Amino acid sequence: MSSPFVKSKLKVARDALGKKQYETARDAASQVLDCEPDNYTAHVFLGLACLELGHHDKSEQLYSRAIGLRPDQLLAWQGISQLYEKQEKWDAVAGALEEMLRIFSANSDATKAAETLQKLIETRRQHGSRKQIITVLFYLLPDSPFYDTLSTLPPPDHTNPNSTTTFVTQEAIHDSLPVIEEIMALTEQEEETFMKVEFDKRRTRLGAPPPDIMRNEIGLEVWRTSKLPLVYQEVLNHPKTSDELRRSVEDRMIRYKQQIFHALPLSDPDKSTVGIQLAELVNGIVTIGVRNQSAWSIFLEGLDQETVCECGLDLLRRFMQVFPDTNLAQLLRAYFMYMGISNDESVDEEADEPSTVALKPVSTDGDPLNAITDAFGSLQDSILATRVVIEVYSKELDYLSVIHVAESGLELVKKHERNTGRKLGNVRKAFHIALATALVHSYPPKHHQRARLLLDDVLTQDPDHVDALLAYGYILQSAEKWEEAEVVFSKVTTRLPPATRKFVRAREERAWCLSRIRTAEGMQALRDVLKDLEGGEFQFDRARCLWRVGRACWDLGGSFREEAYANFIQSLRCDPEYAPSYTSLGVYYSEFAVPPDPTRASKCFQKAFELNPTEVEAARRLAEGFANEREWDLVEVVARRTIEGEGVLDLGIGAEGGVVAGRYLPANAWAWKALGVVELSRGYYAQSIEALQIALRADEEDQVCWLRLGEAYSKAGRYAAALKALARAKELDRDVWLCTYLIGEVQRQTGKFGEALDSYKSVLQKQSDEVGVLMSLALTELALARQEWSSGFFTRAERTFASTITTCLSTVRAASGYGSIVWKVVGDALLGLSQATTFVDQELLRGIFAKITSVLRHVTSKRVAHVFSLGPIQDGLPLTGSYALQLAVASYDYRITVGSSGDTVMGSALYDLGLALQTWSKEGNDREPALEVAASLLKEALIKDPDDPTYWTALAITYFLDKPKISQHAYIKALELDPKNTVAWTQLGLLYLYYNDVALAYEALSKAHILDPDCSVAWVGLALVAARNGDDDHAHALLEHVVGLSPLAQPAATMEFAARLFPPMSPQAKARVPVKEELLPAFAALNLYAKQRQDDPRALHLLGLICERLGALEQGADWIFRAITLLEIAYEDTEDSLIERQFTIAHTNLARLKVCLHDYTGALESFEIAHGLLPEQGATGRECEPDNELLRVQVLFGSGLAHFKLGDIQSAMTRFQNALDATVDNHILRCHVTVLLARCMWAIGTDELRESAKALLLDSITADPEALVSISTLAGMGILTEDDSLVDAALSEIQSLPIERRQELDPSGDVTYLLIRHHLGLADIGRAIRIAQKALHIEPSNLRIRRDLASLTLKQGNRAATQAILAVESAVGSLEEAKETLAVACIADDGTEGRALSYAQKAIMLDPGNVQNWKTLTYVRTRNGGL
């Protein structure tokens, strides 16, 4: 019992709460709890006070504590409900309301329970999910735990709904149908939403199943636990359910059951249960004729009958009455009209039998076929609709449509069986028969293999099935298995009643097969069939039968052929559009009629082919006739239509029946062959190849087809395939020379000129006068000659050019009419010969030139007569390229005279003559008049063909120097016609460069380079641009690339590249001397060029200097001597001062080489000649040229050195002094001469002269303290004499300079080298190593210092240090230094890993002429052998 204190405090708290004094209430309730911690009322009061004070967390704790103390008391639940409402915790509010509902229900307080439930439902409606709403709505249904209490509420008073607070609950309790309907709608929405969301979530997972399977899986997860079936049943069982609602719910129930039924796997035991339930619902609805389209559709789709009529016509009529406006009803109604079936239900009871159904279509106001087609567009998923359409298309003989629809029907059957687990054997069989029959008659025998597989399956199940047997018989007929086909058709006649149309057709087919076996007997049988084909409806069948009788008579031959003719005529009278009769009549008129009537026969064949493109005999004969008349367009039309008649364009008949070009076997190979030849003649090579390939599948031994295929391959650029095809054609018939000729053409196009020549020559052995082969031979020889010339084989090229001309002259003798092309080839060959200065085989070319001259001597045209005339061959003088060029001009001129006057041919001839004249003008022959004529010829060519960019480019080149604006316009016009014309872009760039527009030149040349990276002229242009911009290194690299592409393509580039390898002849030049590896490309290019142009003294002179650098002194002297000879001849002709100067320089260089070769006397002669040609020192004019001083000093010093070597010391010293006196004004040159003089004085060996040499060097150093050459030489003298003070005096100045200045003065490290040698001479190897280390630290990339340091450490015996130094070789060193480093690495290696031998071998491979490398290899092998 509570104490008075507790009661008083509770009263205070209650009063305070009533007065809204919440703090007072809080304190009082708290005091109570201090005394009685489990006081329920205090917890509630305190919780309410905290709630009002905003202490929500504490309030929730107090209410929860109170609920824990007394869970069946309402106060705490009501308080916590208010708390949750303020906090908007709606799920918690609903939970509290449900507890309050439970308490009110337990207390049988129906009103409070109803009010609480109403509030709960309202809360869920506003703040809950559909699932939560469904849950609370179930509280109003009889299965609810609160229903007993709520059912005590009185019925609602609809006249005064506001008289009570529980009107909503009262209404729901006494009429639950609206609640059930709401639950049903919400549940459907919830399940649909859940399935959609879940599908979207799962479909993106890796390895997700197909969409249909995924939907079924998700559906089963929902449907297995769904309450919808119970809700549907509640609605159906409710007494207040209306008929309309009942039908709607039944439809929903059926759809729901169908979904579950289809989704359940076949192995699930529930599938049969659900199926039975669904069947009961459907059958009940159909039986009583309820208007439920879903049920009717399920019922009709599940009917397993072979024909539509067997499904029950009454059933179909009832469906049309129940659903008159549906697409299926419209389709069935049109079907009934098409088949002539009455729509009236009052028909005979036997109307369901198919045999009583009229097969003749009835006439209607509308077209039932169109109605069926329109309705079927929205019924693609209906098996029944598919069966109806197949039957209609079969009657219409629309076999392609039957195939497509039957295949889709089989997919529907497969889907239905998978969904229901029930087999539709009869339906599947019906589809198979329809599909097989359509495949048999669709482009026979294309699909017969597939049809036979289907028919075998059907006949295995039903061996006597008439339609299957008929289709099987047609397949045997097509395969000409007449005996087997006759047996099959005989079997069909025994399975059919005699009065039916199928029976008559089977008899006819049997008789036709019999006529193919036993003609007379079969012909009689066909005549018997004719008796049954009386009547207007049998006209087509009668025409066919009469034609077959005629064919039998034709096969009997003799007098029966006239009877056959009569039957063909009679057949056409029955059906004027029966094509086979026209074909047979055409054969009759062309082969048997007397006289033959080809015109009438052709008309018959045309008519037959127009009516039916599968009339192959008519098509073939028609195509042959058109081919004989050269009507190739008509041949193509016939061939294409014949191919279409084979069904080649019939794609998509199914995975097995679809035509794929890769596996198609043609029935009419001649059509494909004709099509391939036509496409080949039109230049459509890809189409021609495909057609010829298909033709070869039918006959792999067709030699002509292989030949044309090879020709098509070659013209399409597929040369490997062309050679294979032509080889196969040659294998089939080796006597056909055209095959060998085409092989030669392919070989010529692929650059195999030697093999092509062999092929052409083998053809000419059989067909010696075949002009086409002769011209191909000449063109091949011309191409081979050009290739040989560009490769540097000048003698071979000369002979091949001569052979080309000889072949062309033979062609002129063999046939006329080829003058234009013959003389073009002759001109091209002569133009190629004009590149040579002299010829090797003078006699051969003299004879050929004499023949050409005899033809062209007096036929010069008026176009060029005033600037050019062909002179005679001068006896006694060797032939040169200049005369070949004259003959080329004359040949091109004569070509215009004898050639065609067509615009294209004439334009080409004028262009060739213009270019030849342009080239001829460069030889110094009346340049300006010749260029004017060349320009006029090119303009005339442009009039003939203004769209040829080559002509515009040639015109621009002609005006390059004289009329730059016109030249630029012509280049731009050429580029407008062909924006990718590399030649035009290159020449335009050179034009801009010539006239100093470097920016535009660079853009144009870069464009040309991008379009053709192998265009050597573009590379040369870019090199000139780089040189113009001062980037000499880049220019050198570009020229090197040009020389690497083709040394003979650009002779000027070769000369420029070689010249740039030498520094300018100037004492201020600091250029690096090139090493051997850099000179080799120039040597190779110039060597070829010198052999080609032996009259170019500049090239010979430059080649001699390169040979000197490479160490080939004798070759160098020989080349320079040849250059001197040419310069001497040229000077005698012109007395040009420039040639005189070149002659002087050449003698100076030759003298230097002779000194090196120890020919001192010869050197003195050359030096004297050079000295005599130099102007006197002090003379004006030419002496102002700075190079004369250098030449004079070189000549004087060189002659002094020669005297010195000959022992004439006095003359030598005089020359040395004169050389020194000549350098008064040039201290740099004086320094070099001083050093050379000091060395010579030192070499004499007397103490006096050696002291004089030292004094001379000291004076030079005094004059120029940074004269490194003098310093190095003096230091060397000090080292040799072991004079440390002299070494220190010599090197102290240079060592005191900053590092940057030292490196600038001594880039090769001569000072470091001398210091190392000096200390080594003093046996101070440690000091030498320190000097080398310091130098390497200053310049780590210097391989020479690295090699020296490695050698020093090796001398110390420190192999590890040596290997460490050599292991970090820099890649920037030259190849020459790398070779020397390998030798050191060999010696430093200890031999444990075998690398020394590898290093030594590699050094020899890099420089096999180095004796030291061979010594190193010997040392390594000796060490490894332990010797």
Side-chain angles (χ1 to χ4, degrees), residues 295-309:
W296 280 88
S297 177
I298 293 171
F299 185 83
L300 293 176
E301 295 296 304
L303 293 174
D304 187 19
Q305 302 296 334
E306 190 169 339
T307 65
V308 176
C309 293

PDB file of all heavy atoms in Angstrom, residues 295-309:
ATOM      1  N   ALA A 295      -9.435 -17.095 -70.582  1.00  0.00           N
ATOM      2  CA  ALA A 295      -9.773 -18.517 -70.487  1.00  0.00           C
ATOM      3  C   ALA A 295      -9.966 -19.127 -71.863  1.00  0.00           C
ATOM      4  O   ALA A 295      -9.485 -20.235 -72.152  1.00  0.00           O
ATOM      5  CB  ALA A 295     -11.030 -18.689 -69.641  1.00  0.00           C
ATOM      6  N   TRP A 296     -10.727 -18.440 -72.732  1.00  0.00           N
ATOM      7  CA  TRP A 296     -10.932 -18.955 -74.083  1.00  0.00           C
ATOM      8  C   TRP A 296      -9.606 -19.096 -74.834  1.00  0.00           C
ATOM      9  O   TRP A 296      -9.393 -20.074 -75.556  1.00  0.00           O
ATOM     10  CB  TRP A 296     -11.875 -18.031 -74.843  1.00  0.00           C
ATOM     11  CG  TRP A 296     -13.323 -18.259 -74.519  1.00  0.00           C
ATOM     12  CD1 TRP A 296     -14.034 -17.695 -73.525  1.00  0.00           C
ATOM     13  CD2 TRP A 296     -14.218 -19.128 -75.214  1.00  0.00           C
ATOM     14  NE1 TRP A 296     -15.324 -18.138 -73.510  1.00  0.00           N
ATOM     15  CE2 TRP A 296     -15.478 -19.028 -74.561  1.00  0.00           C
ATOM     16  CE3 TRP A 296     -14.103 -19.976 -76.309  1.00  0.00           C
ATOM     17  CZ2 TRP A 296     -16.589 -19.752 -74.973  1.00  0.00           C
ATOM     18  CZ3 TRP A 296     -15.212 -20.692 -76.744  1.00  0.00           C
ATOM     19  CH2 TRP A 296     -16.442 -20.590 -76.078  1.00  0.00           C
ATOM     20  N   SER A 297      -8.735 -18.099 -74.678  1.00  0.00           N
ATOM     21  CA  SER A 297      -7.446 -18.155 -75.366  1.00  0.00           C
ATOM     22  C   SER A 297      -6.621 -19.343 -74.895  1.00  0.00           C
ATOM     23  O   SER A 297      -6.034 -20.077 -75.698  1.00  0.00           O
ATOM     24  CB  SER A 297      -6.684 -16.853 -75.135  1.00  0.00           C
ATOM     25  OG  SER A 297      -5.419 -16.909 -75.731  1.00  0.00           O
ATOM     26  N   ILE A 298      -6.596 -19.574 -73.558  1.00  0.00           N
ATOM     27  CA  ILE A 298      -5.852 -20.726 -73.024  1.00  0.00           C
ATOM     28  C   ILE A 298      -6.439 -22.023 -73.558  1.00  0.00           C
ATOM     29  O   ILE A 298      -5.716 -22.957 -73.935  1.00  0.00           O
ATOM     30  CB  ILE A 298      -5.878 -20.694 -71.490  1.00  0.00           C
ATOM     31  CG1 ILE A 298      -5.074 -19.489 -70.978  1.00  0.00           C
ATOM     32  CG2 ILE A 298      -5.314 -21.980 -70.909  1.00  0.00           C
ATOM     33  CD1 ILE A 298      -5.223 -19.254 -69.492  1.00  0.00           C
ATOM     34  N   PHE A 299      -7.748 -22.096 -73.632  1.00  0.00           N
ATOM     35  CA  PHE A 299      -8.405 -23.313 -74.084  1.00  0.00           C
ATOM     36  C   PHE A 299      -8.101 -23.582 -75.559  1.00  0.00           C
ATOM     37  O   PHE A 299      -7.738 -24.707 -75.941  1.00  0.00           O
ATOM     38  CB  PHE A 299      -9.921 -23.180 -73.864  1.00  0.00           C
ATOM     39  CG  PHE A 299     -10.683 -24.428 -74.196  1.00  0.00           C
ATOM     40  CD1 PHE A 299     -10.787 -25.458 -73.280  1.00  0.00           C
ATOM     41  CD2 PHE A 299     -11.288 -24.576 -75.441  1.00  0.00           C
ATOM     42  CE1 PHE A 299     -11.489 -26.613 -73.590  1.00  0.00           C
ATOM     43  CE2 PHE A 299     -11.983 -25.724 -75.752  1.00  0.00           C
ATOM     44  CZ  PHE A 299     -12.093 -26.756 -74.826  1.00  0.00           C
ATOM     45  N   LEU A 300      -8.257 -22.545 -76.390  1.00  0.00           N
ATOM     46  CA  LEU A 300      -8.035 -22.734 -77.825  1.00  0.00           C
ATOM     47  C   LEU A 300      -6.565 -23.012 -78.139  1.00  0.00           C
ATOM     48  O   LEU A 300      -6.260 -23.813 -79.031  1.00  0.00           O
ATOM     49  CB  LEU A 300      -8.500 -21.488 -78.585  1.00  0.00           C
ATOM     50  CG  LEU A 300     -10.016 -21.219 -78.566  1.00  0.00           C
ATOM     51  CD1 LEU A 300     -10.322 -19.913 -79.275  1.00  0.00           C
ATOM     52  CD2 LEU A 300     -10.784 -22.364 -79.215  1.00  0.00           C
ATOM     53  N   GLU A 301      -5.648 -22.352 -77.430  1.00  0.00           N
ATOM     54  CA  GLU A 301      -4.218 -22.572 -77.677  1.00  0.00           C
ATOM     55  C   GLU A 301      -3.794 -23.972 -77.266  1.00  0.00           C
ATOM     56  O   GLU A 301      -2.805 -24.506 -77.777  1.00  0.00           O
ATOM     57  CB  GLU A 301      -3.382 -21.535 -76.923  1.00  0.00           C
ATOM     58  CG  GLU A 301      -3.560 -20.100 -77.382  1.00  0.00           C
ATOM     59  CD  GLU A 301      -3.098 -19.892 -78.810  1.00  0.00           C
ATOM     60  OE1 GLU A 301      -1.938 -20.202 -79.111  1.00  0.00           O
ATOM     61  OE2 GLU A 301      -3.925 -19.450 -79.625  1.00  0.00           O
ATOM     62  N   GLY A 302      -4.510 -24.581 -76.355  1.00  0.00           N
ATOM     63  CA  GLY A 302      -4.143 -25.910 -75.882  1.00  0.00           C
ATOM     64  C   GLY A 302      -4.764 -27.041 -76.660  1.00  0.00           C
ATOM     65  O   GLY A 302      -4.519 -28.217 -76.350  1.00  0.00           O
ATOM     66  N   LEU A 303      -5.568 -26.761 -77.697  1.00  0.00           N
ATOM     67  CA  LEU A 303      -6.192 -27.808 -78.506  1.00  0.00           C
ATOM     68  C   LEU A 303      -5.130 -28.504 -79.352  1.00  0.00           C
ATOM     69  O   LEU A 303      -4.389 -27.857 -80.097  1.00  0.00           O
ATOM     70  CB  LEU A 303      -7.268 -27.209 -79.407  1.00  0.00           C
ATOM     71  CG  LEU A 303      -8.510 -26.648 -78.678  1.00  0.00           C
ATOM     72  CD1 LEU A 303      -9.429 -25.957 -79.675  1.00  0.00           C
ATOM     73  CD2 LEU A 303      -9.246 -27.751 -77.934  1.00  0.00           C
ATOM     74  N   ASP A 304      -5.072 -29.813 -79.259  1.00  0.00           N
ATOM     75  CA  ASP A 304      -4.058 -30.582 -79.987  1.00  0.00           C
ATOM     76  C   ASP A 304      -4.733 -31.334 -81.130  1.00  0.00           C
ATOM     77  O   ASP A 304      -4.968 -32.546 -81.054  1.00  0.00           O
ATOM     78  CB  ASP A 304      -3.349 -31.548 -79.032  1.00  0.00           C
ATOM     79  CG  ASP A 304      -2.167 -32.252 -79.703  1.00  0.00           C
ATOM     80  OD1 ASP A 304      -1.685 -31.741 -80.731  1.00  0.00           O
ATOM     81  OD2 ASP A 304      -1.745 -33.312 -79.197  1.00  0.00           O
ATOM     82  N   GLN A 305      -5.062 -30.608 -82.194  1.00  0.00           N
ATOM     83  CA  GLN A 305      -5.680 -31.192 -83.375  1.00  0.00           C
ATOM     84  C   GLN A 305      -4.814 -30.847 -84.583  1.00  0.00           C
ATOM     85  O   GLN A 305      -4.156 -29.818 -84.622  1.00  0.00           O
ATOM     86  CB  GLN A 305      -7.099 -30.648 -83.566  1.00  0.00           C
ATOM     87  CG  GLN A 305      -8.022 -30.877 -82.388  1.00  0.00           C
ATOM     88  CD  GLN A 305      -8.284 -32.340 -82.103  1.00  0.00           C
ATOM     89  OE1 GLN A 305      -8.202 -33.166 -83.016  1.00  0.00           O
ATOM     90  NE2 GLN A 305      -8.585 -32.684 -80.856  1.00  0.00           N
ATOM     91  N   GLU A 306      -4.877 -31.714 -85.594  1.00  0.00           N
ATOM     92  CA  GLU A 306      -3.985 -31.554 -86.731  1.00  0.00           C
ATOM     93  C   GLU A 306      -4.419 -30.420 -87.645  1.00  0.00           C
ATOM     94  O   GLU A 306      -3.584 -29.737 -88.246  1.00  0.00           O
ATOM     95  CB  GLU A 306      -3.892 -32.864 -87.512  1.00  0.00           C
ATOM     96  CG  GLU A 306      -2.802 -32.847 -88.578  1.00  0.00           C
ATOM     97  CD  GLU A 306      -2.541 -34.216 -89.163  1.00  0.00           C
ATOM     98  OE1 GLU A 306      -2.877 -35.223 -88.514  1.00  0.00           O
ATOM     99  OE2 GLU A 306      -2.000 -34.273 -90.276  1.00  0.00           O
ATOM    100  N   THR A 307      -5.755 -30.218 -87.778  1.00  0.00           N
ATOM    101  CA  THR A 307      -6.244 -29.141 -88.637  1.00  0.00           C
ATOM    102  C   THR A 307      -7.120 -28.203 -87.822  1.00  0.00           C
ATOM    103  O   THR A 307      -7.581 -28.538 -86.721  1.00  0.00           O
ATOM    104  CB  THR A 307      -7.046 -29.708 -89.814  1.00  0.00           C
ATOM    105  OG1 THR A 307      -8.220 -30.352 -89.308  1.00  0.00           O
ATOM    106  CG2 THR A 307      -6.218 -30.702 -90.621  1.00  0.00           C
ATOM    107  N   VAL A 308      -7.383 -27.057 -88.390  1.00  0.00           N
ATOM    108  CA  VAL A 308      -8.233 -26.077 -87.716  1.00  0.00           C
ATOM    109  C   VAL A 308      -9.657 -26.599 -87.607  1.00  0.00           C
ATOM    110  O   VAL A 308     -10.329 -26.431 -86.577  1.00  0.00           O
ATOM    111  CB  VAL A 308      -8.189 -24.735 -88.478  1.00  0.00           C
ATOM    112  CG1 VAL A 308      -9.154 -23.731 -87.850  1.00  0.00           C
ATOM    113  CG2 VAL A 308      -6.782 -24.167 -88.498  1.00  0.00           C
ATOM    114  N   CYS A 309     -10.119 -27.265 -88.636  1.00  0.00           N
ATOM    115  CA  CYS A 309     -11.495 -27.783 -88.619  1.00  0.00           C
ATOM    116  C   CYS A 309     -11.680 -28.838 -87.543  1.00  0.00           C
ATOM    117  O   CYS A 309     -12.762 -28.968 -86.951  1.00  0.00           O
ATOM    118  CB  CYS A 309     -11.853 -28.354 -89.990  1.00  0.00           C
ATOM    119  SG  CYS A 309     -11.957 -27.108 -91.295  1.00  0.00           S
TER     120      CYS A 309
END
